[in-house]
Amino acid sequence: MHIEDETWTDLETTDTNLGLLPIGSTEQHGPHAPLGTDTFDAEVIAQNAAEEYSDSVIVAPSVPVGIAEEHREFTGTLWTDEMTFRQYVRDIVRSLASHGWDHVVIVNGHGGNIPALEAVTAQIIRHDNAYAVPFTWFEAIGEHTSSMGHAGPIETSLLERTRPESVHTDRLTDAAAGASDRWGDWQGSVNLAVDSTEFTENGVVGDPREASAELGAELLTAATDELCSLLDAVRSHDAAPRE
Ligand SMILES: [Zn+2]
């Protein structure tokens, strides 16, 4: 059940302690994919898992802006600072918990959100009446994680499976021509770059010409299965604060 589609009276009758909170980003995804890619991907995986999971799961409205200042030089990219983001996410989880949906998996679509989500969920577990963990979908796709890139084959494939109309397939050759083959500007183990313009001309990392709807279907299934297993593991944890 999606909170925004229901009435409060219908939500009052739900009998579950499980919530999913999709979190994305509004940021450039090259010349071929929309700025909402990370949000769309998080949403579709949350939606799919809620449909396939054995019990009912509440799906919260998506958070569309995250920590994405690294893409600030590409038009349309929006961002918030880490402390604002953490406080906002914590408030949403607390309000979900106040209604009884106190076991929350944050379904994340953006790499830049990961450190903040790890930090805020640890705070929530320790100090709030909720148990919350982050789930970043592209870390749950087995061997494919290593070819993630940015607006590369992985994200483009998922879009081709779930929102094919949003991908400008006639621009894939140009997208590949301006792409970088890795995220960052590395000296040994240290990334010297701060902004993505320092290592990619058009915002793309990886070759989106390798994308396909078939791969997208495989990724969707893999991430959904992992998320359902996570819901099984999460639901029995104690939601009481640990202080
Ligand atoms: Zn992305």
Side-chain angles (χ1 to χ4, degrees):
M1 293 177 100
H2 288 250
I3 289 178
E4 65 266 50
D5 293 332
E6 305 296 332
T7 67
W8 75 267
T9 50
D10 288 334
L11 286 170
E12 198 178 35
T13 65
T14 58
D15 181 25
T16 180
N17 62 358
L18 291 172
L20 293 174
L21 172 59
I23 296 189
S25 182
T26 301
E27 65 179 51
Q28 69 83 14
H29 275 75
H32 64 290
L35 277 83
T37 294
D38 292 352
T39 311
F40 299 151
D41 289 349
E43 266 173 0
V44 76
I45 286 162
Q47 155 87 24
N48 221 36
E51 281 170 12
E52 295 200 5
Y53 193 63
S54 51
D55 275 325
S56 76
V57 181
I58 297 298
V59 182
S62 302
V63 174
V65 176
I67 300 170
E69 194 172 0
E70 69 269 25
H71 297 297
R72 64 194 171 136
E73 294 188 56
F74 293 99
T75 305
T77 296
L78 306 178
W79 62 91
T80 179
D81 77 70
E82 178 166 330
M83 294 314 291
T84 306
F85 177 81
R86 280 169 56 171
Q87 187 61 53
Y88 189 62
V89 170
R90 189 173 180 180
D91 286 346
I92 297 170
V93 172
R94 283 168 159 169
S95 47
L96 287 166
S98 78
H99 303 299
W101 311 310
D102 55 2
H103 290 68
V104 178
V105 177
I106 296 171
V107 182
N108 176 43
H110 173 49
N113 294 341
I114 294 173
L117 290 175
E118 288 174 346
V120 72
T121 51
Q123 277 185 311
I124 289 167
I125 290 170
R126 290 192 185 107
H127 304 297
D128 297 340
N129 287 300
Y131 186 84
V133 292
F135 171 85
T136 297
W137 75 267
F138 51 81
E139 293 181 332
I141 52 174
E143 60 185 354
H144 295 298
T145 297
S146 60
S147 44
M148 174 59 184
H150 184 76
I154 300 304
E155 289 179 293
T156 306
S157 291
L158 189 56
L159 286 178
E160 287 186 358
R161 169 68 181 83
T162 59
R163 280 185 180 241
E165 71 289 350
S166 73
V167 180
H168 297 268
T169 49
D170 56 328
R171 300 179 190 168
L172 292 178
T173 303
D174 282 349
S180 165
D181 59 2
R182 65 178 181 162
W183 180 274
D185 172 18
W186 294 86
Q187 171 59 44
S189 61
V190 178
N191 180 11
L192 303 175
V194 172
D195 289 333
S196 56
T197 41
E198 294 173 57
F199 53 86
T200 169
E201 192 183 305
N202 63 4
V204 180
V205 176
D207 190 341
R209 292 173 301 180
E210 294 168 7
S212 68
E214 293 70 30
L215 176 57
E218 194 184 317
L219 299 172
L220 182 60
T221 301
T224 301
D225 290 350
E226 284 287 321
L227 181 48
C228 288
S229 300
L230 182 61
L231 286 168
D232 268 339
V234 158
R235 65 186 308 174
S236 59
H237 274 257
D238 189 353
R242 299 184 178 184
E243 51 195 358

